């Protein structure tokens, strides 16, 4: 195996499944720590702060600090800041998104805005959607944390941010800029945080259509695991294969 | 002009604009009454009961009873009843939809259902959308009153039922059966109520992409007016032309 200087690691399906740790995950992360190899947990989840994500990981025995966590909300905030410092944002989202925007010095407003920013919002209302539509029609740039159509929960597959975002897309005819996996935007922002470049980094994930595709789109090597969403049977049919694939993380030797 | 035995008449842009009556509308309707020609007001609005719509018309001097009104919610209820008598429906919508389903003897439930029925709902919540997604994934048939992407209001173009419906479409990958204009379903249900057949009926409307297209799709002659949405300049570019077009209703002679 190639020696990588940085790891971008997916969470759900790779480190845990729902609230259950994946057996091989803590050891994999510990090996990275022992070898002093930088890593960043990369999640499309836009609702949570890095502090909350890190706490969940630590409770599962997966070592992390908030600095090890990079959410689609954080990537969104960084992306917007690059576009316009101090941008005014009309926001539909939860704590994770509001916190991320605030930390990048962006202002949140219900008045005239430069950006409409959508993330997962389980308190979505018609009025919020209406304001977003009006702002987009009024010329605001339209950004959405991620295009996930569904969120796996104990009750089943519930609407994901990609499906909530479609209200504004369909109503205004304007496509958003999606930030999260499989887009390369989140990957480029993550590399900046990790401090490594494409060629010396590897993406680890279970979902071909988000994690692995994101790596492919950004020109980053990929390690696919079969502890999550995409089943092993799909592998032969994938047009562009991951760089590596293993059944679980214990079968991958970190060099 | 051909002598028609029945008229299907659009409301917004044809009879009124928002809360303002269109000058030629009351006279047009009065002539139909004098000549004893049956007419039905046909609206994609799913929120209101026929009583509320009729009251608005009467206040504007346009003669109507609730029996003169046929909404997309009423068409939806009739359509579902044809599919399954006593069908159990999970409903996202407002009074107009609940009332219509009730009047057709359909039951509304939050439990197991045969149909997921979506109409305009300005009290939409994530939980409602989540339940709809779970039911559709669980095999319920998916019906939506209309596909309008936007609703014109004094504040601007707000999200229409078609854009709200897209949350469930995008999240589940299941396309709904849309009932309202431009679909022919609402037209066929309206003809049954009016008691005339396709060949002896004419559709009157201002919106080429809903009213006129609905007539074309259902094989009903069309009378296009330019008092509403579609501008006269668009006429030369329309592939399939309306049967008749007039600037306003005073220019059409009812025979």
């Amino acid at each position: 195996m190639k020696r990588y200087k940085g790891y971008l690691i997916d969470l759900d399906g790779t480190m845990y499944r729902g609230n259950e740790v994946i057996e091989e995950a803590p050891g994999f992360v510990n090996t990275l720590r022992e070898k002093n190899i930088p890593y960043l947990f990369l999640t499309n989840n836009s609702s949570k702060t890095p502090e909350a994500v890190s706490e969940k990981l630590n409770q599962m025995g997966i070592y992390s600090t908030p600095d090890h966590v990079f959410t689609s909300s954080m990537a969104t905030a960084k992306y917007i800041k690059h576009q316009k410092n101090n941008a005014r944002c009309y926001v539909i989202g939860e704590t994770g998104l509001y916190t991320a925007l605030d930390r990048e010095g962006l202002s949140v407003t219900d008045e005239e805005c430069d950006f409409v920013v959508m993330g997962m919002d389980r308190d979505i209302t018609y009025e919020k959607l209406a304001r977003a539509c009006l702002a987009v029609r009024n010329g605001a740039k339209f950004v959405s944390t991620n295009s996930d159509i569904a969120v796996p929960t104990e009750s089943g597959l519930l609407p994901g941010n990609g499906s909530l975002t479609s209200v504004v897309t369909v109503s205004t005819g304007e496509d958003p800029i999606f930030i999260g996996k499989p887009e390369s935007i989140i990957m480029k922002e993550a590399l900046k945080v990790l401090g490594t470049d494409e060629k010396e980094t590897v993406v680890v994930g279970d979902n071909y259509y988000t994690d692995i595709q994101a790596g492919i789109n950004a020109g980053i090597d990929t390690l696919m695991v079969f502890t999550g969403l995409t089943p092993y049977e799909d592998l032969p049919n994938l047009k562009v294969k991951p760089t590596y694939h293993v059944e679980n993380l214990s079968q991958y030797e970190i060099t």
Side-chain angles (χ1 to χ4, degrees), chain A:
Chain A
M1 305 269 184
K2 183 170 160 184
R3 188 185 167 89
Y4 292 100
K5 291 189 180 165
Y7 281 70
L8 297 172
I9 307 169
D10 172 56
L11 291 177
D12 211 344
T14 304
M15 292 287 109
Y16 52 73
R17 277 183 293 263
N19 288 315
E20 205 179 309
V21 69
I22 289 173
E23 198 186 330
E24 299 80 9
F28 182 82
V29 173
N30 283 338
T31 306
L32 290 174
R33 288 186 69 203
E34 285 158 15
K35 292 181 183 281
N36 280 316
I37 302 173
Y39 60 93
L40 200 56
F41 295 111
L42 211 59
T43 175
N44 271 1
N45 185 316
S46 66
S47 314
K48 291 184 177 175
T49 61
E51 287 76 8
V53 174
S54 173
E55 194 187 323
K56 174 173 177 171
L57 287 167
N58 286 329
Q59 280 173 356
M60 289 177 166
I62 298 169
Y63 181 81
S64 71
T65 68
D67 287 344
H68 285 115
V69 178
F70 197 62
T71 69
S72 62
S73 285
M74 295 162 74
T76 299
K78 285 184 183 291
Y79 173 83
I80 293 173
K81 192 182 184 176
H82 297 321
Q83 305 292 309
K84 184 172 182 179
N85 225 347
N86 306 317
R88 294 161 304 172
C89 302
Y90 175 69
V91 182
I92 295 182
E94 299 184 9
T95 321
L97 184 53
Y98 282 95
T99 305
L101 294 168
D102 184 58
R103 287 177 180 171
E104 296 295 338
L106 304 167
S107 65
V108 173
T109 177
D110 281 354
E111 307 297 319
E112 213 177 295
C113 62
D114 306 302
F115 288 85
V116 166
V117 190
M118 282 191 77
M120 183 63 168
D121 185 350
R122 281 160 291 195
D123 286 323
I124 193 114
T125 63
Y126 184 80
E127 200 198 334
K128 289 183 187 181
L129 292 164
R131 275 178 192 267
C133 286
L134 290 172
V136 168
R137 285 183 185 273
N138 210 25
K141 283 182 185 137
F142 180 23
V143 176
S144 179
T145 57
N146 66 302
S147 60
D148 297 45
I149 59 169
V151 179
T153 71
E154 283 176 8
S155 318
L157 289 168
L158 304 190
N161 182 53
S163 63
L164 298 182
T165 300
S166 72
V167 175
V168 181
T169 312
V170 169
S171 190
T172 64
E174 293 286 334
D175 285 315
I177 296 163
F178 283 116
I179 303 296
K181 301 176 278 187
E183 304 302 324
S184 57
I185 298 177
I186 191 172
M187 308 312 277
K188 291 187 196 304
E189 297 292 347
L191 289 176
K192 286 183 210 164
V193 172
L194 196 60
T196 56
D197 74 23
E198 289 89 339
K199 297 296 163 217
E200 54 194 18
T201 310
V202 64
V203 179
V204 186
D206 66 296
N207 185 332
Y208 182 79
Y209 299 98
T210 54
D211 306 319
I212 305 305
Q213 201 68 59
I216 293 165
N217 290 342
I220 305 174
D221 281 354
T222 53
L223 165 60
M224 188 167 179
V225 293
F226 294 97
T227 49
L229 192 104
T230 307
Y232 186 75
E233 301 83 74
D234 284 10
L235 188 61
N237 306 320
L238 301 174
K239 256 194 203 160
V240 183
K241 303 272 190 275
T243 317
Y244 317 101
H245 68 268
V246 289
E247 198 188 314
N248 65 61
L249 286 173
S250 73
Q251 294 165 4
Y252 177 84
E253 195 192 343
I254 299 169
T255 54

